[in-house]
């Protein structure tokens, strides 16, 4: 099995990304990311990697605070999730508390994430994998 991991490259997300990376690796599955693309064009290379996987795990963390107190998330990760769904791949998103998903994301299963207490989300992700 191959899983694509979609995540923000921001420094404040590094710790949770490393934890999810370790968890996926513990299931002895091959993992792909949007890193180290060998000089290819970014969008087509990432799309091919997603298509080459059986599933996608997306980490949707807080980005910018909105006027209503909710948070935006990373558009690129949302696009990766949408691409995977369009290609009929299984998708699960870890969604940091306060992130406003809106739109089509509301009808899909996701896992609530507290970045300062990630154990529950990681255990749920492990069961899902």
């Amino acid at each position: 099995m191959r899983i694509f991991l979609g995540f923000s490259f921001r420094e404040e997300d590094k710790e949770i990304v490393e934890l999810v990376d370790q968890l996926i690796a513990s299931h002895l599955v091959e993992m792909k990311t949007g890193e180290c693309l060998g000089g290819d064009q970014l969008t087509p290379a990432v799309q091919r990697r997603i298509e080459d996987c059986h599933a996608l795990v997306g980490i949707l963390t807080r980005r910018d605070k909105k006027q209503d107190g909710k948070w935006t998330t990373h558009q690129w990760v949302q696009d990766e999730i949408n691409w995977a769904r369009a290609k009929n791949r299984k998708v699960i998103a870890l969604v940091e508390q306060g992130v406003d998903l809106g739109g089509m994301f509301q009808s899909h299963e996701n896992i609530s994430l507290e970045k300062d207490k990630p154990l529950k989300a990681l255990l749920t992700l492990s069961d899902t994998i």
Side-chain angles (χ1 to χ4, degrees):
M1 177 192 253
R2 287 179 304 281
I3 295 177
F4 186 92
L5 178 59
F7 59 91
S8 156
F9 289 89
R10 293 171 55 177
E11 185 63 33
E12 56 265 40
D13 295 332
K14 188 175 182 178
E15 184 177 345
I16 190 63
V17 170
E18 289 173 353
L19 289 171
V20 172
D21 184 358
Q22 289 176 358
L23 181 130
I24 292 171
S26 76
H27 285 271
L28 303 177
V29 299
E30 183 182 347
M31 190 179 69
K32 296 186 177 249
T33 69
E35 299 174 293
C36 302
L37 299 173
D40 284 347
Q41 281 188 315
L42 191 59
T43 298
V46 169
Q47 288 173 332
R48 282 191 303 275
R49 285 191 180 182
I50 292 169
E51 291 169 12
D52 190 43
C53 289
H54 300 98
L56 181 143
V57 173
I59 305 173
L60 296 171
T61 53
R62 295 175 181 178
R63 186 162 187 113
D64 299 311
K65 196 164 191 173
K66 297 167 45 173
Q67 288 184 344
D68 64 3
K70 294 181 182 180
W71 295 82
T72 65
T73 192
H74 310 278
Q75 187 60 52
W76 187 266
V77 179
Q78 287 182 312
D79 290 345
E80 291 171 339
I81 288 170
N82 286 333
W83 185 261
R85 286 188 177 131
K87 297 300 178 178
N88 296 315
R89 301 304 187 266
K90 298 283 187 184
V91 174
I92 191 72
L94 282 87
V95 182
E96 186 175 7
Q97 290 184 333
V99 169
D100 183 13
L101 293 179
M104 294 189 303
F105 282 101
Q106 293 179 7
S107 64
H108 291 280
E109 178 185 12
N110 60 62
I111 299 169
S112 179
L113 170 65
E114 292 181 62
K115 278 176 58 178
D116 59 336
K117 296 186 280 182
L119 183 59
K120 183 176 179 182
L122 293 172
L123 290 173
T124 302
L125 177 60
S126 183
D127 287 342
T128 302
I129 294 172

